[in-house]
Amino acid sequence: MVKTYGYIRVSTREQNEARQLTALREVEIPARNIFLDKQSGKDFNRPNYQKLLRKLKKDDLLYVKSIDRLGRNYEEIQAQWRLLTKEKGVDIVVLDMPLLDTRRGKDLMGTFLSDIVLQVLSFVAENERVNIRQRQAEGIAAAKAKGVRFGRPPQPLPENFPSVYQRWKDGAITGVAAAAECGLPLSTFRYRAGLFEASNVL
């Protein structure tokens, strides 16, 4: 018996999958057959995609909203498409691109057209992934140039740090004792001591 499945992917936990879910419900896919990953599309090592892959059998039908929801890596999209359609014998429908419906045109010309469209769209998805990374890198570089700091701001030094640091520096106490007096792990005390020393030198 042929089963129908749907696959949804969003890149981060903050993104909303509602648009994809609505599209899959419109083609009446049972909720239990819809698989969702909240993960990057750079590769196919996604838990629910892998679970879906194990469930798919010959002649089953898989729906995705758009090709970039399947993935964003050009070569891996091609490889997965071949795995699904040729090795597993699954049909795929990309809702945003009616030409990518393997149920239609199973003759040579239909397969040829489908392959061309897949290659173009896979390239576009990969190119967009590269562009996103480039824009992120440029944005971070521009922010750093303006003095924006990333990550958590450093905790203020304990009030007794300067005096404890000096005693440690003079060899009056060990690093372990100094760290304990400041209420810091030894590695943190040494790290902050280095920064403290550098700032005083400057």
Side-chain angles (χ1 to χ4, degrees):
M1 181 180 172
V2 175
K3 291 185 178 178
T4 304
Y5 294 89
Y7 180 68
I8 294 172
R9 184 188 66 78
V10 289
S11 298
T12 66
R13 295 193 176 279
E14 288 73 34
Q15 286 185 340
N16 195 323
E17 65 274 11
R19 189 174 62 90
Q20 295 176 68
L21 193 54
T22 299
L24 294 180
R25 282 177 176 161
E26 284 175 359
V27 290
E28 300 182 344
I29 300 172
R32 67 180 178 278
N33 288 356
I34 295 176
F35 291 76
L36 164 67
D37 279 310
K38 294 195 174 187
Q39 201 167 329
S40 162
K42 65 179 181 179
D43 58 43
F44 284 85
N45 295 323
R46 307 174 215 135
N48 284 320
Y49 179 80
Q50 293 300 323
K51 193 181 291 183
L52 168 64
L53 209 54
R54 290 192 292 273
K55 280 189 171 288
L56 287 166
K57 301 287 186 291
K58 189 178 187 314
D59 296 326
D60 283 347
L61 179 58
L62 172 63
Y63 283 91
V64 290
K65 179 78 169 75
S66 58
I67 198 68
D68 65 340
R69 297 305 87 201
L70 192 59
R72 284 191 179 275
N73 182 300
Y74 176 74
E75 290 182 359
E76 291 209 17
I77 293 172
Q78 300 273 351
Q80 286 298 312
W81 190 274
R82 281 192 297 273
L83 169 68
L84 291 165
T85 59
K86 304 290 194 293
E87 295 179 30
K88 293 185 80 73
V90 172
D91 275 314
I92 306 176
V93 176
V94 179
L95 293 169
D96 283 356
M97 181 55 60
L99 278 173
L100 283 178
D101 181 344
T102 61
R103 298 171 302 175
R104 299 178 186 169
K106 293 213 180 228
D107 59 2
L108 187 61
M109 181 56 74
T111 302
F112 175 69
L113 287 173
S114 179
D115 283 350
I116 287 175
V117 173
L118 173 65
Q119 287 195 34
V120 171
L121 292 178
S122 303
F123 174 77
V124 169
E126 165 81 2
N127 200 47
E128 179 60 15
R129 183 173 75 95
V130 171
N131 287 340
I132 287 170
R133 278 175 28 204
Q134 179 67 25
R135 288 195 295 270
Q136 285 173 337
E138 288 171 356
I140 290 169
K144 283 183 176 177
K146 290 179 181 176
V148 175
R149 293 187 175 206
F150 293 88
R152 291 182 301 176
Q155 293 295 315
L157 288 171
E159 285 184 16
N160 64 340
F161 190 89
S163 61
V164 173
Y165 164 83
Q166 196 57 56
R167 285 162 54 220
W168 169 72
K169 194 74 177 168
D170 292 341
I173 56 172
T174 66
V176 172
E181 281 191 43
C182 293
L184 298 170
L186 179 58
S187 58
T188 304
F189 174 79
R190 285 181 173 154
Y191 173 71
R192 300 300 292 272
L195 294 179
F196 182 74
E197 187 171 338
S199 64
N200 284 329
V201 169
L202 294 173

